[in-house]
Amino acid sequence: MSERFNVLPVLRGHWKGLTDGRHAAQRADVVARLSLLLPVVVFGLMLWREGRLAAPASLLTGVALMAGGMLSAFTHLSTLRLKITEWDSPGEASRFEVERGMLDETAAHLLTGSLLCAFNAATLVIGMNVGVTKTGHLYGFWAAASAGLSSYVLVVFVFVIPRLYSAYVQINDVSSELNGFDRRRRNRRR
C-alpha cells in the first residue's frame, strides 16, 4: 500500500491519545474509549430499526463544514505547537510538557475527525445516488453508516473542545477570574 494513502498512523495516534494523563504512567481512558461504542450502537439501531435520514443534503453540508472547521483548527494547533517548541530552551526540561501532550493528542483527534467527515461525505453522496426513497429520505446501510460516522465525529468533537480550551488556558496563563477550570467564584466588583 502506498504510504500516501495510509491513514493508519492517524487512527493509531487518535487511539493512543485516548489516555488519562493524570497519572505518571500512561493509562487508557476507559470512559473515552467506551464512548466510541456510541457510534456502533447508532449504526446498529439505524440498521435494525430501518432508520432513515430525512435531509441527507443538509447533513452533507454540515459534514463538509465540520471537516473544514477541524482542518482549520488543526492548522492553528500546529502553529501553536511550533510556538511552544520555539519558547522552550534547548537542553532544558520543557515548561510546556503537559500542554505539548494535549496539543499532540488533539491534533490526532482533529485529523481523525476530518478524515471521518470525508468518509461520511462520500457515504452520503453515494447513498443519495443509490439509497434514497421517493420522498428523498436516505435509508438502509447508507443511512446507518452516515449516522454512525456522524456520531463518531460528534464524540471526537466533544473530546477536542475541552483539550483545546485547557491548552489555551495553560499556555496563555489565563487569570483565575476567567479560567473555567478554576472552580473559585469570580470576584464581583460593586
Side-chain angles (χ1 to χ4, degrees):
M1 178 172 167
S2 173
E3 285 301 307
R4 191 176 307 270
F5 297 104
N6 187 3
V7 297
L8 290 178
V10 175
L11 298 176
R12 200 172 334 164
H14 166 61
W15 185 255
K16 285 181 175 183
L18 298 175
T19 56
D20 188 348
R22 296 175 296 171
H23 307 283
Q26 291 288 343
R27 293 184 188 171
D29 187 342
V30 176
V31 174
R33 290 183 178 183
L34 285 176
S35 70
L36 296 179
L37 291 176
L38 174 68
V40 175
V41 170
V42 168
F43 175 79
L45 283 174
M46 287 286 288
L47 273 179
W48 179 54
R49 302 288 298 167
E50 298 176 8
R52 297 170 183 238
L53 297 177
S58 297
L59 183 57
L60 180 59
T61 303
V63 164
L65 288 171
M66 185 70 88
M70 286 185 160
L71 285 174
S72 176
F74 172 75
T75 59
H76 176 69
L77 196 71
S78 62
T79 301
L80 186 56
R81 178 66 163 80
L82 183 62
K83 280 288 191 199
I84 287 176
T85 302
E86 290 174 0
W87 291 337
D88 281 339
S89 302
E92 291 183 19
S94 174
R95 299 178 303 165
F96 300 105
E97 196 62 40
V98 171
E99 294 83 357
R100 180 179 289 160
M102 283 191 295
L103 294 176
D104 293 342
E105 172 191 330
T106 304
H109 295 323
L110 287 170
L111 291 176
T112 298
S114 297
L115 183 64
L116 293 177
C117 283
F119 289 152
N120 198 359
T123 300
L124 285 165
V125 168
I126 293 169
M128 287 166 47
N129 284 291
V130 299
V132 179
T133 65
K134 291 179 183 176
T135 57
H137 294 182
L138 190 62
Y139 71 95
F141 169 79
W142 301 105
S146 180
L149 287 168
S150 296
S151 301
Y152 200 103
V153 170
L154 178 63
V155 170
V156 168
F157 191 73
V158 171
F159 286 165
V160 164
I161 296 299
R163 283 296 208 197
L164 286 172
Y165 181 63
S166 179
Y168 172 83
V169 163
Q170 292 180 26
I171 290 168
N172 294 298
D173 198 23
V174 172
S175 73
S176 62
E177 292 179 348
L178 298 174
N179 182 343
F181 290 103
D182 191 334
R183 294 186 177 170
R184 291 177 283 174
R185 298 190 85 199
R186 187 174 179 181
N187 294 335
R188 296 183 185 214
R189 295 182 184 151
R190 297 185 191 260

